[in-house]
Tab-separated table of all heavy atoms in Angstrom:
chain	number	residue	atom	x	y	z
A	38	PHE	N	144.064	104.455	135.009
A	38	PHE	CA	142.860	103.625	135.025
A	38	PHE	C	141.664	104.411	134.481
A	38	PHE	O	140.898	103.926	133.641
A	38	PHE	CB	142.572	103.137	136.454
A	38	PHE	CG	141.297	102.344	136.560
A	38	PHE	CD1	141.226	101.048	136.095
A	38	PHE	CD2	140.164	102.917	137.124
A	38	PHE	CE1	140.055	100.329	136.185
A	38	PHE	CE2	138.987	102.210	137.215
A	38	PHE	CZ	138.933	100.903	136.747
A	39	GLY	N	141.489	105.632	134.945
A	39	GLY	CA	140.380	106.465	134.477
A	39	GLY	C	140.463	106.758	132.990
A	39	GLY	O	139.454	106.750	132.281
A	40	MET	N	141.692	107.016	132.521
A	40	MET	CA	141.875	107.282	131.108
A	40	MET	C	141.556	106.045	130.270
A	40	MET	O	140.922	106.128	129.218
A	40	MET	CB	143.314	107.744	130.842
A	40	MET	CG	143.515	108.244	129.442
A	40	MET	SD	145.099	109.079	129.183
A	40	MET	CE	146.256	107.832	129.691
A	41	SER	N	141.945	104.883	130.745
A	41	SER	CA	141.659	103.636	130.025
A	41	SER	C	140.159	103.360	129.977
A	41	SER	O	139.615	102.998	128.933
A	41	SER	CB	142.379	102.466	130.690
A	41	SER	OG	143.763	102.668	130.664
A	42	VAL	N	139.488	103.527	131.100
A	42	VAL	CA	138.042	103.295	131.142
A	42	VAL	C	137.317	104.286	130.238
A	42	VAL	O	136.391	103.917	129.509
A	42	VAL	CB	137.526	103.374	132.595
A	42	VAL	CG1	136.016	103.428	132.643
A	42	VAL	CG2	138.048	102.202	133.399
A	43	SER	N	137.739	105.535	130.260
A	43	SER	CA	137.070	106.527	129.425
A	43	SER	C	137.308	106.258	127.940
A	43	SER	O	136.414	106.479	127.119
A	43	SER	CB	137.509	107.941	129.795
A	43	SER	OG	138.882	108.108	129.526
A	44	MET	N	138.465	105.736	127.580
A	44	MET	CA	138.729	105.412	126.179
A	44	MET	C	137.852	104.239	125.732
A	44	MET	O	137.270	104.273	124.645
A	44	MET	CB	140.194	105.080	125.944
A	44	MET	CG	140.472	104.776	124.477
A	44	MET	SD	142.199	104.577	124.095
A	44	MET	CE	142.786	106.220	124.372
A	45	VAL	N	137.713	103.231	126.569
A	45	VAL	CA	136.847	102.098	126.236
A	45	VAL	C	135.395	102.572	126.125
A	45	VAL	O	134.672	102.193	125.193
A	45	VAL	CB	136.993	100.974	127.288
A	45	VAL	CG1	135.920	99.917	127.110
A	45	VAL	CG2	138.377	100.351	127.202
A	46	ALA	N	134.952	103.420	127.042
A	46	ALA	CA	133.587	103.938	126.993
A	46	ALA	C	133.372	104.793	125.746
A	46	ALA	O	132.314	104.712	125.101
A	46	ALA	CB	133.281	104.753	128.247
A	47	PHE	N	134.351	105.585	125.360
A	47	PHE	CA	134.254	106.415	124.167
A	47	PHE	C	134.074	105.559	122.921
A	47	PHE	O	133.185	105.798	122.109
A	47	PHE	CB	135.506	107.305	124.035
A	47	PHE	CG	135.594	108.021	122.733
A	47	PHE	CD1	134.806	109.131	122.489
A	47	PHE	CD2	136.457	107.582	121.735
A	47	PHE	CE1	134.886	109.807	121.283
A	47	PHE	CE2	136.543	108.247	120.532
A	47	PHE	CZ	135.757	109.364	120.295
A	48	TRP	N	134.910	104.535	122.765
A	48	TRP	CA	134.809	103.683	121.578
A	48	TRP	C	133.530	102.851	121.595
A	48	TRP	O	132.931	102.594	120.551
A	48	TRP	CB	136.040	102.810	121.425
A	48	TRP	CG	137.200	103.621	120.910
A	48	TRP	CD1	138.327	103.967	121.582
A	48	TRP	CD2	137.309	104.216	119.618
A	48	TRP	NE1	139.127	104.748	120.781
A	48	TRP	CE2	138.527	104.912	119.562
A	48	TRP	CE3	136.491	104.247	118.494
A	48	TRP	CZ2	138.942	105.611	118.437
A	48	TRP	CZ3	136.919	104.939	117.366
A	48	TRP	CH2	138.125	105.615	117.343
A	49	ALA	N	133.078	102.443	122.773
A	49	ALA	CA	131.809	101.711	122.859
A	49	ALA	C	130.657	102.613	122.419
A	49	ALA	O	129.743	102.172	121.713
A	49	ALA	CB	131.576	101.196	124.273
A	50	LEU	N	130.711	103.885	122.798
A	50	LEU	CA	129.682	104.838	122.397
A	50	LEU	C	129.701	105.065	120.886
A	50	LEU	O	128.648	105.090	120.246
A	50	LEU	CB	129.882	106.164	123.143
A	50	LEU	CG	128.870	107.256	122.855
A	50	LEU	CD1	127.502	106.851	123.401
A	50	LEU	CD2	129.320	108.556	123.484
A	51	ILE	N	130.870	105.213	120.313
A	51	ILE	CA	131.004	105.416	118.864
A	51	ILE	C	130.478	104.197	118.106
A	51	ILE	O	129.700	104.325	117.147
A	51	ILE	CB	132.468	105.713	118.479
A	51	ILE	CG1	132.936	107.034	119.078
A	51	ILE	CG2	132.661	105.690	116.967
A	51	ILE	CD1	132.202	108.246	118.536
A	52	ILE	N	130.866	102.998	118.525
A	52	ILE	CA	130.432	101.774	117.844
A	52	ILE	C	128.921	101.591	117.983
A	52	ILE	O	128.236	101.231	117.024
A	52	ILE	CB	131.216	100.561	118.378
A	52	ILE	CG1	132.676	100.668	117.931
A	52	ILE	CG2	130.596	99.257	117.909
A	52	ILE	CD1	133.596	99.666	118.581
A	53	THR	N	128.378	101.865	119.158
A	53	THR	CA	126.935	101.751	119.361
A	53	THR	C	126.183	102.732	118.470
A	53	THR	O	125.168	102.376	117.859
A	53	THR	CB	126.587	102.010	120.835
A	53	THR	OG1	127.292	101.067	121.643
A	53	THR	CG2	125.101	101.880	121.082
A	54	ALA	N	126.670	103.949	118.367
A	54	ALA	CA	126.024	104.941	117.509
A	54	ALA	C	126.066	104.504	116.048
A	54	ALA	O	125.062	104.627	115.324
A	54	ALA	CB	126.693	106.302	117.676
A	55	LEU	N	127.193	103.969	115.597
A	55	LEU	CA	127.294	103.506	114.217
A	55	LEU	C	126.351	102.337	113.942
A	55	LEU	O	125.708	102.285	112.892
A	55	LEU	CB	128.740	103.110	113.902
A	55	LEU	CG	129.734	104.259	113.785
A	55	LEU	CD1	131.146	103.731	113.610
A	55	LEU	CD2	129.354	105.165	112.630
A	56	VAL	N	126.249	101.410	114.872
A	56	VAL	CA	125.349	100.265	114.699
A	56	VAL	C	123.901	100.740	114.638
A	56	VAL	O	123.120	100.282	113.795
A	56	VAL	CB	125.559	99.232	115.831
A	56	VAL	CG1	124.448	98.206	115.863
A	56	VAL	CG2	126.899	98.542	115.671
Side-chain angles (χ1 to χ4, degrees):
F38 177 75
M40 189 169 56
S41 299
V42 168
S43 64
M44 181 173 293
V45 169
F47 171 76
W48 284 111
L50 181 68
I51 295 295
I52 291 170
T53 302
L55 289 174
V56 167

